[in-house]
Amino acid sequence: MLHKHPNDWFADDFFSVPVIAVLRGLTPVEAVKSATRAWDAGVEHVEVTIETPDAVPTLAAVASAAAERGLAVGAGTIIRPEQLGAAASASASFTVSPGLDETVLQESIRRGLPHLPGVATPSEILRANALGLTWLKAFPASLLGPEWIRAVKGPFPDVQFVATGGMKAATAATYLSAGASVVGLSSDFSSDAGAASVRELLASISGASAPH
């Protein structure tokens, strides 16, 4: 089935760590440095946005660094099908969009790149479910708020949300406790102190889920 592939791929313990690093507007050197902070903090996956062609070399650089660790990197801000060729050539392993576009979804899957589309309304969630998707990006999460996550998890308990957009490590736990499966963090990885806060977040989550 055409739309089954991305669900299987994401559900296969891909998002076992509840934080993904989202890197935007950085040079290749800066992005690799931020990605390394994320990986060293315990984050497994990084998304590099490619809203402009100038960002593709940054994606390629991070993907190359990730490959040395056996990790996957996604291409973000995919809003046009023609961006997918660049994402594939830069060795992206999955794609992320701020919205839901079936043409982008189908072309991404055709290229073997599981796709994570953005949603902000119940109607968009229904559309995504009809296309066979259960992993969705809640965007912009900082404006939707944790109560939005909690509210939509009621009628859509099987949907797994990756909450991104204006998120901080300091407030991420609120979204996770509201029902988000993953939070996307950006600015925290611009400094060692920020990365340390992410490490503490992950440790607190791990401690809370550990058996007593």
Side-chain angles (χ1 to χ4, degrees):
M1 179 179 175
L2 175 63
H3 299 299
K4 187 176 180 181
H5 175 60
N7 286 342
D8 288 346
W9 199 84
F10 286 137
D12 188 23
D13 293 329
F14 180 75
F15 288 123
S16 58
V17 175
V19 171
I20 182 172
V22 182
L23 307 182
R24 180 187 303 275
L26 302 178
T27 67
V29 172
E30 291 169 341
V32 170
K33 191 170 184 178
S34 290
T36 300
R37 287 193 186 102
W39 295 323
D40 290 347
V43 174
E44 289 188 354
H45 300 304
V46 171
E47 170 195 339
V48 178
T49 66
I50 56 169
E51 55 268 57
T52 67
D54 291 344
V56 175
T58 298
L59 169 62
V62 175
S64 177
E68 296 177 4
R69 296 175 178 241
L71 300 175
V73 171
T77 316
I78 302 295
I79 59 176
R80 300 180 303 277
E82 53 266 30
Q83 290 175 280
L84 292 165
S89 67
S91 299
S93 296
F94 61 99
T95 59
V96 185
S97 176
L100 175 61
D101 183 284
E102 187 171 357
T103 302
V104 170
L105 167 68
Q106 291 179 333
E107 178 60 16
S108 192
I109 294 173
R110 188 187 71 79
R111 290 176 175 274
L113 298 172
H115 186 64
L116 182 70
V119 297
T121 68
S123 294
E124 290 171 337
I125 298 171
L126 283 171
R127 281 180 55 209
N129 284 176
L131 294 169
L133 302 178
T134 56
W135 276 93
L136 303 173
K137 169 181 173 176
F139 179 82
S142 62
L143 296 181
L144 292 171
E147 289 308 313
W148 184 89
I149 300 286
R150 194 185 309 278
V152 296
K153 284 290 285 187
F156 302 106
D158 296 330
V159 172
Q160 306 297 317
F161 288 108
V162 180
T164 67
M167 301 292 290
K168 302 283 188 180
T171 56
T174 304
Y175 286 79
L176 293 170
S177 64
S181 298
V182 181
V183 293
L185 302 177
S186 298
S187 60
D188 293 287
F189 302 111
S190 63
S191 69
D192 291 339
S197 68
V198 176
R199 187 182 299 109
E200 292 170 3
L201 168 68
L202 293 175
S204 69
I205 294 169
S206 176
S209 60
H212 297 286

